[in-house]
Amino acid sequence: MTFQNYKSFWDNKATTMQGAMIAVDGSTDENTVRLTGIYSADQATKALELTATDRVLELGCGVGRIGHELAPHVGYWHGVDISANMIAQARERLQKFDNVGLSELTRTSLSEFPDASFDKAYCIAVFIHMDKEDFFLYLRELNRVLKPGGRIFFDHWNLASTVGWRRWFLEVQQYVDVDPSVRKDVARNQFTTPQEVSVFLQHAGFEELGNWSESPWVQALGAKPGAGLDIAAARARAAANGADIEYTPLWTELFNQLMDVTIGEMKPQAMLELLLDDNRGKEIPMFRAMFLGIWRLNEKHWGAAPTV
Ligand SMILES: C[S@@+](CC[C@H](N)C(=O)[O-])C[C@H]1O[C@@H](n2cnc3c(N)ncnc32)[C@H](O)[C@@H]1O
């Protein structure tokens, strides 16, 4: 089915909790979404130097995968999303927190928030699903709602990495025989480069503090100038924390191998073998949980999923 607007695309995916989780990052259950949420929350915490008093905004919060892990550690967390169904699923998952707000967006604007109302903001796996104009408009809005000295952390698919290019080429192949006069899905995966991200950040009014691009993701950290923020010192801290912010080489390797399985170049049993030794890194239990969940959904093609 081809969707012509963001809202209907994401609402359609998020009619059930499991559908919404699969749409946000491929997780099929609460246990997996907690594991991936902790991983992403750790990256955001390091990048944004989150503190217990920060007012934090997440653009495109989905089921509150990351907010669930951050809310206990910040002053106030607010999630916004274009999909009413995603917001409903997030409300269910986050109802136990009393420092959380959620709202549905109606267009590419954060007009419900006054200027300078948040200390930190982040946006993970969202700009990849929209037109470049909307990506830039949101960055400009994020600049407006951040306080001077505030920080923004976000990501985008990275055409300039080997694995990122491979991921992009999977998209390209879908369109080889498609009628080019039919508009493509508005929320399909889009890609960028580290340089394009730097240009967007700068024109949206941010100073770039970090731009990591060894993985299939470009991950960017920006600051809204002002309030005496020492940009050089903030850049130096971001560089020093880079290993905890950037997707690791193991993450990239496992992601690449998951693509092998998806396109039939690796047997699922061989993939599982690679995911049995937790000593390889913190990514292993997370990828194992995710992979077994995907296997359970694919039993018709892959055979019965093992219990590990
Ligand atoms: C892949 S999910 C990621 C969710 C969340 N950031 C996470 O990492 O768990 C993308 C999310 O962005 C939201 N989204 C997509 N297009 C949007 C737009 N134009 N404005 C705001 N949210 C959008 C979707 O509804 C969905 O919840």
Side-chain angles (χ1 to χ4, degrees):
M1 196 187 300
T2 301
F3 292 93
Q4 297 302 329
N5 68 73
Y6 303 127
K7 213 175 251 310
S8 60
F9 179 96
W10 292 99
D11 274 343
N12 182 265
K13 300 238 175 248
T15 53
T16 63
M17 182 64 90
Q18 192 191 46
M21 285 180 180
I22 292 171
V24 298
D25 78 337
S27 296
T28 51
D29 55 34
E30 181 66 21
N31 174 52
T32 309
V33 94
R34 290 291 314 274
L35 290 172
T36 70
I38 290 167
Y39 191 87
S40 300
D42 284 350
Q43 291 174 317
T45 299
K46 276 285 183 204
L48 294 168
E49 301 180 302
L50 293 177
T51 71
T53 55
D54 277 341
R55 283 178 56 83
V56 180
L57 176 66
E58 177 171 355
L59 169 60
C61 64
V63 299
R65 183 178 72 88
I66 304 169
H68 188 283
E69 311 311 322
L70 291 183
H73 306 291
V74 299
Y76 176 72
W77 178 93
H78 197 109
V80 292
D81 201 287
I82 200 75
S83 160
N85 287 347
M86 281 290 184
I87 290 292
Q89 307 294 2
R91 206 176 294 290
E92 189 180 324
R93 288 193 72 240
L94 304 182
Q95 59 185 320
K96 55 179 168 273
F97 301 115
D98 58 11
N99 64 337
V100 158
L102 287 160
S103 35
E104 177 192 345
L105 299 173
T106 51
R107 59 195 185 91
T108 309
S109 158
L110 302 172
S111 53
E112 69 180 284
F113 302 114
D115 295 357
S117 46
F118 289 95
D119 300 290
K120 313 275 170 65
Y122 64 94
C123 183
I124 305 296
V126 177
F127 292 141
I128 59 173
H129 292 295
M130 65 182 71
D131 293 333
K132 293 284 166 71
E133 293 83 352
D134 293 314
F135 172 25
F136 179 70
L137 287 171
Y138 270 136
L139 281 184
R140 229 176 43 173
E141 275 291 85
L142 287 162
N143 187 271
R144 181 184 67 74
V145 302
L146 278 170
K147 298 175 186 172
R151 247 67 63 76
I152 165 92
F153 178 58
F154 64 89
D155 62 15
H156 209 300
W157 284 125
N158 179 14
L159 269 185
S161 87
T162 310
V163 178
W165 176 266
R166 191 170 179 228
R167 178 65 188 79
W168 154 248
F169 206 68
L170 289 183
E171 299 290 319
V172 174
Q173 282 165 319
Q174 291 176 43
Y175 296 107
V176 172
D177 294 320
V178 167
D179 175 356
S181 68
V182 176
R183 186 76 182 88
K184 297 176 180 63
D185 268 345
V186 68
R188 73 191 184 283
N189 283 282
Q190 306 268 4
F191 291 69
T192 188
T193 63
Q195 189 185 17
E196 185 176 69
V197 166
S198 297
V199 172
F200 274 39
L201 256 185
Q202 182 200 334
H203 285 281
F206 291 104
E207 289 282 349
E208 186 172 273
L209 301 182
N211 184 321
W212 295 270
S213 57
E214 292 298 314
S215 80
W217 298 96
V218 182
Q219 296 166 280
L221 178 65
K224 177 169 174 169
L229 177 70
D230 181 339
I231 299 287
R235 270 193 194 125
R237 288 197 304 278
N241 286 332
D244 293 324
I245 298 169
E246 186 163 27
Y247 285 98
T248 61
L250 178 59
W251 192 99
T252 298
E253 182 185 321
L254 295 171
F255 177 81
N256 197 31
Q257 286 159 336
L258 269 186
M259 281 196 286
D260 287 339
V261 180
T262 310
I263 61 178
E265 286 185 4
M266 189 192 283
K267 293 254 182 292
Q269 292 79 2
M271 180 78 211
L272 188 59
E273 286 290 316
L274 300 171
L275 295 172
L276 294 179
D277 180 5
D278 288 0
N279 293 321
R280 293 184 67 202
K282 62 184 176 184
E283 289 78 5
I284 295 293
M286 174 174 81
F287 270 82
R288 185 172 60 236
M290 176 171 291
F291 182 63
L292 285 170
I294 295 170
W295 193 330
R296 282 190 285 274
L297 293 182
N298 276 291
E299 286 189 330
K300 211 165 80 183
H301 308 291
W302 295 355
T307 44
V308 176

Short mmCIF file of all heavy atoms in Angstrom, two decimals, residues 6 10 23-25 58-62 65-66 80-83 86 105 108 124-126 129-130 138, ligand 1:
data_model
loop_
_atom_site.label_atom_id
_atom_site.label_comp_id
_atom_site.label_asym_id
_atom_site.label_seq_id
_atom_site.Cartn_x
_atom_site.Cartn_y
_atom_site.Cartn_z
N TYR A 6 2.43 11.25 6.23
CA TYR A 6 3.15 10.61 7.33
C TYR A 6 2.18 9.99 8.35
O TYR A 6 2.38 8.90 8.85
CB TYR A 6 4.02 11.63 8.07
CG TYR A 6 5.04 12.35 7.20
CD1 TYR A 6 5.10 13.74 7.17
CD2 TYR A 6 5.95 11.64 6.43
CE1 TYR A 6 6.04 14.40 6.40
CE2 TYR A 6 6.89 12.30 5.65
CZ TYR A 6 6.93 13.68 5.64
OH TYR A 6 7.86 14.33 4.87
N TRP A 10 2.10 5.93 9.58
CA TRP A 10 2.51 5.47 10.91
C TRP A 10 1.32 5.02 11.75
O TRP A 10 1.44 4.07 12.54
CB TRP A 10 3.33 6.55 11.61
CG TRP A 10 4.64 6.72 10.91
CD1 TRP A 10 4.98 7.68 10.00
CD2 TRP A 10 5.78 5.85 11.00
NE1 TRP A 10 6.26 7.47 9.52
CE2 TRP A 10 6.77 6.36 10.12
CE3 TRP A 10 6.07 4.70 11.73
CZ2 TRP A 10 8.02 5.75 9.96
CZ3 TRP A 10 7.32 4.10 11.57
CH2 TRP A 10 8.27 4.62 10.69
N ALA A 23 7.55 -1.41 14.09
CA ALA A 23 7.77 -0.23 13.24
C ALA A 23 8.85 0.68 13.81
O ALA A 23 9.58 1.31 13.05
CB ALA A 23 6.46 0.55 13.09
N VAL A 24 8.98 0.75 15.14
CA VAL A 24 9.99 1.69 15.66
C VAL A 24 11.40 1.18 15.48
O VAL A 24 12.30 1.93 15.11
CB VAL A 24 9.76 2.17 17.12
CG1 VAL A 24 8.48 2.93 17.26
CG2 VAL A 24 9.88 1.08 18.13
N ASP A 25 11.64 -0.12 15.73
CA ASP A 25 13.03 -0.59 15.51
C ASP A 25 13.16 -2.09 15.30
O ASP A 25 14.25 -2.65 15.46
CB ASP A 25 13.95 -0.13 16.66
CG ASP A 25 13.80 -0.99 17.91
OD1 ASP A 25 12.73 -1.62 18.07
OD2 ASP A 25 14.75 -1.03 18.71
N GLU A 58 11.64 14.69 22.94
CA GLU A 58 11.94 13.72 21.88
C GLU A 58 10.96 13.94 20.73
O GLU A 58 9.74 13.85 20.89
CB GLU A 58 11.82 12.26 22.35
CG GLU A 58 12.08 11.30 21.17
CD GLU A 58 12.21 9.83 21.52
OE1 GLU A 58 12.20 9.49 22.71
OE2 GLU A 58 12.31 9.02 20.57
N LEU A 59 11.51 14.19 19.55
CA LEU A 59 10.69 14.33 18.34
C LEU A 59 10.58 12.96 17.67
O LEU A 59 11.60 12.32 17.38
CB LEU A 59 11.36 15.33 17.38
CG LEU A 59 10.78 15.41 15.97
CD1 LEU A 59 9.32 15.81 15.98
CD2 LEU A 59 11.59 16.38 15.12
N GLY A 60 9.34 12.50 17.47
CA GLY A 60 9.12 11.18 16.86
C GLY A 60 9.37 10.09 17.89
O GLY A 60 10.17 9.18 17.67
N CYS A 61 8.63 10.14 19.00
CA CYS A 61 8.95 9.28 20.16
C CYS A 61 8.47 7.85 19.99
O CYS A 61 8.85 6.98 20.78
CB CYS A 61 8.37 9.88 21.43
SG CYS A 61 6.56 9.95 21.41
N GLY A 62 7.61 7.57 19.00
CA GLY A 62 7.12 6.21 18.82
C GLY A 62 6.45 5.70 20.09
O GLY A 62 5.63 6.39 20.70
N ARG A 65 10.12 4.15 23.43
CA ARG A 65 11.22 3.18 23.61
C ARG A 65 12.37 3.81 24.41
O ARG A 65 12.86 3.23 25.38
CB ARG A 65 11.70 2.75 22.21
CG ARG A 65 12.77 1.71 22.15
CD ARG A 65 13.10 1.38 20.69
NE ARG A 65 13.82 2.44 20.01
CZ ARG A 65 15.14 2.58 19.99
NH1 ARG A 65 15.90 1.71 20.61
NH2 ARG A 65 15.71 3.58 19.34
N ILE A 66 12.76 5.02 24.03
CA ILE A 66 13.90 5.68 24.67
C ILE A 66 13.42 6.47 25.89
O ILE A 66 14.06 6.47 26.95
CB ILE A 66 14.62 6.60 23.66
CG1 ILE A 66 15.05 5.77 22.44
CG2 ILE A 66 15.82 7.28 24.30
CD1 ILE A 66 15.54 6.59 21.25
N VAL A 80 6.79 13.85 21.34
CA VAL A 80 5.80 14.24 20.32
C VAL A 80 5.94 13.31 19.13
O VAL A 80 7.03 12.79 18.86
CB VAL A 80 5.98 15.71 19.86
CG1 VAL A 80 5.64 16.68 20.97
CG2 VAL A 80 7.39 15.97 19.32
N ASP A 81 4.84 13.09 18.43
CA ASP A 81 4.87 12.18 17.29
C ASP A 81 3.73 12.55 16.35
O ASP A 81 2.67 13.02 16.78
CB ASP A 81 4.70 10.72 17.76
CG ASP A 81 5.21 9.71 16.74
OD1 ASP A 81 4.54 9.53 15.69
OD2 ASP A 81 6.28 9.12 16.98
N ILE A 82 3.92 12.30 15.06
CA ILE A 82 2.90 12.61 14.06
C ILE A 82 1.72 11.63 14.15
O ILE A 82 0.62 11.92 13.67
CB ILE A 82 3.51 12.59 12.63
CG1 ILE A 82 2.67 13.35 11.62
CG2 ILE A 82 3.75 11.17 12.15
CD1 ILE A 82 2.77 14.83 11.72
N SER A 83 1.96 10.46 14.77
CA SER A 83 0.94 9.40 14.77
C SER A 83 0.18 9.35 16.10
O SER A 83 0.78 9.11 17.16
CB SER A 83 1.62 8.05 14.50
OG SER A 83 0.80 6.99 14.93
N MET A 86 0.70 5.91 17.66
CA MET A 86 1.99 5.77 18.37
C MET A 86 1.89 6.44 19.74
O MET A 86 2.35 5.89 20.75
CB MET A 86 3.12 6.42 17.57
CG MET A 86 3.64 5.60 16.42
SD MET A 86 4.56 4.14 16.97
CE MET A 86 5.10 3.51 15.37
N LEU A 105 1.48 15.53 16.91
CA LEU A 105 1.74 16.66 16.02
C LEU A 105 0.76 16.61 14.86
O LEU A 105 0.35 15.53 14.44
CB LEU A 105 3.17 16.59 15.48
CG LEU A 105 4.29 16.66 16.52
CD1 LEU A 105 5.64 16.42 15.85
CD2 LEU A 105 4.28 18.00 17.23
N THR A 108 4.55 19.76 10.38
CA THR A 108 5.98 19.84 10.65
C THR A 108 6.29 21.09 11.47
O THR A 108 6.90 22.04 10.98
CB THR A 108 6.77 19.85 9.32
OG1 THR A 108 6.31 18.76 8.53
CG2 THR A 108 8.25 19.69 9.55
N ILE A 124 15.61 10.19 17.03
CA ILE A 124 16.32 8.97 16.61
C ILE A 124 15.46 8.19 15.61
O ILE A 124 14.31 7.85 15.91
CB ILE A 124 16.63 8.07 17.84
CG1 ILE A 124 17.40 8.85 18.91
CG2 ILE A 124 17.38 6.80 17.42
CD1 ILE A 124 18.77 9.33 18.52
N ALA A 125 16.03 7.89 14.46
CA ALA A 125 15.37 7.08 13.43
C ALA A 125 14.05 7.70 12.96
O ALA A 125 13.08 6.99 12.71
CB ALA A 125 15.15 5.64 13.93
N VAL A 126 14.02 9.01 12.85
CA VAL A 126 12.80 9.72 12.42
C VAL A 126 13.05 10.53 11.15
O VAL A 126 12.29 10.43 10.18
CB VAL A 126 12.29 10.64 13.55
CG1 VAL A 126 11.08 11.44 13.10
CG2 VAL A 126 11.96 9.83 14.80
N HIS A 129 12.73 9.12 7.72
CA HIS A 129 11.43 8.78 7.14
C HIS A 129 10.67 10.01 6.64
O HIS A 129 9.44 10.00 6.62
CB HIS A 129 10.57 8.04 8.17
CG HIS A 129 11.09 6.68 8.50
ND1 HIS A 129 11.14 5.65 7.58
CD2 HIS A 129 11.60 6.17 9.65
CE1 HIS A 129 11.64 4.57 8.16
NE2 HIS A 129 11.93 4.86 9.40
N MET A 130 11.40 11.06 6.26
CA MET A 130 10.66 12.24 5.77
C MET A 130 11.45 12.97 4.69
O MET A 130 12.65 12.76 4.52
CB MET A 130 10.33 13.19 6.93
CG MET A 130 11.51 13.82 7.60
SD MET A 130 11.02 14.88 9.00
CE MET A 130 10.49 13.69 10.20
N TYR A 138 11.98 20.88 10.84
CA TYR A 138 12.00 20.41 12.23
C TYR A 138 13.27 20.87 12.95
O TYR A 138 13.22 21.26 14.12
CB TYR A 138 11.91 18.88 12.28
CG TYR A 138 10.51 18.33 12.35
CD1 TYR A 138 10.14 17.25 11.56
CD2 TYR A 138 9.56 18.85 13.22
CE1 TYR A 138 8.86 16.71 11.62
CE2 TYR A 138 8.27 18.32 13.29
CZ TYR A 138 7.93 17.25 12.50
OH TYR A 138 6.67 16.72 12.58
C1 LIG B 1 11.28 4.37 13.25
S1 LIG B 1 10.23 5.15 14.41
C2 LIG B 1 11.35 5.64 15.70
C3 LIG B 1 10.67 5.95 17.01
C4 LIG B 1 11.58 6.39 18.15
N1 LIG B 1 12.32 7.58 17.83
C5 LIG B 1 12.52 5.27 18.52
O1 LIG B 1 13.70 5.35 18.16
O2 LIG B 1 12.07 4.33 19.16
C6 LIG B 1 9.82 6.69 13.62
C7 LIG B 1 8.82 7.51 14.42
O3 LIG B 1 8.75 8.81 13.86
C8 LIG B 1 7.40 9.21 13.75
N2 LIG B 1 7.32 10.13 12.62
C9 LIG B 1 7.41 9.82 11.31
N3 LIG B 1 7.28 10.91 10.55
C10 LIG B 1 7.11 11.95 11.39
C11 LIG B 1 6.90 13.34 11.20
N4 LIG B 1 6.84 13.87 9.98
N5 LIG B 1 6.76 14.11 12.29
C12 LIG B 1 6.82 13.57 13.53
N6 LIG B 1 6.98 12.26 13.78
C13 LIG B 1 7.14 11.46 12.72
C14 LIG B 1 6.65 7.91 13.52
O4 LIG B 1 5.28 8.00 13.84
C15 LIG B 1 7.42 6.94 14.41
O5 LIG B 1 6.90 6.90 15.71
#
